Every structure is written in structure tokens, then in C-alpha cells.
Amino acid sequence: MHTNHNFDEEKVIETIKSQIAENSILLYMKGTPKMPQCGFSAHTVAAIQACGKPFAFVNILENPEIRATLPKYANWPTFPQLYVNGELIGGCDIVLELHENGELQEIIDQAK
């Protein structure tokens, strides 16, 4: 059986699970918070930063195996993806909507 990737998807899923478990606020994004590589990531970072808590991030551009695996694992096709306390909050549109109505602050404040 031929697969078109040369990494162990189960190992990648274990990595993703531990990243999500170990970081109460985690953003999978293109680029870094200081140098976002797409507008959606930039907007999402700005909304999270406005909530005033430090957060972890994974640059999917430097982690192609995570970029390939996370959408299947999360059942969410696009990036960025924000996780708080182990739960997928959503992508750019949802994060911005939550930020505008004040709910993102509540979610971020509950991060352990």
C-alpha cells in the first residue's frame, strides 16, 4: 500500500495530543506571532494577544507533518486553529467573532 507521506501519522497525532495537553492556550498557525505568514493567522494572534495571556504556538509551515495531519485529527480543514484547555475553539472567523462579543476573553481567562 502506497501512501504519499513519509512520516508516521500515529506518531504525529501523539505529538499533537501532547502539545494540546501541555499548553492551555495553543495556536496552530502559519508563521509566528511576531511574523505571521498569513492574514488569518495575524488576525487570530491579535485577538488572542488582546486577551492578555501568554500562549503557545506551533508554526505549521515549519512542521509539514502537523500541517498534513492536524486537519484530519481535528476534523477542521483550515489554519489557524486555536485550542484552549484541550478543546478546539475554532479558526480565524470564530476567534474574531468570539473576540468581538467578549466571549474570547472569558475562554482565555479560563485557561489553566
Side-chain angles (χ1 to χ4, degrees), residues 39-90:
F40 298 114
S41 290
H43 292 309
T44 305
V45 163
I48 300 166
Q49 286 175 334
C51 295
K53 265 198 175 181
F55 64 96
F57 71 93
V58 174
N59 179 355
I60 59 155
L61 300 179
E62 290 178 356
N63 296 278
E65 69 287 354
I66 289 177
R67 183 180 189 172
T69 306
L70 185 61
K72 286 182 264 185
Y73 170 73
N75 202 16
W76 190 268
T78 56
F79 293 97
Q81 292 186 20
L82 174 63
Y83 289 80
V84 178
N85 292 336
E87 280 188 46
L88 173 63
I89 304 304

Side-chain angles (χ1 to χ4, degrees), residues 75-109:
N75 202 16
W76 190 268
T78 56
F79 293 97
Q81 292 186 20
L82 174 63
Y83 289 80
V84 178
N85 292 336
E87 280 188 46
L88 173 63
I89 304 304
C92 181
D93 292 349
I94 290 173
V95 170
L96 293 183
E97 193 176 304
L98 291 170
H99 180 54
E100 281 168 25
N101 67 22
E103 288 178 50
L104 184 64
Q105 185 73 58
E106 294 169 22
I107 293 167
I108 296 289
D109 284 348

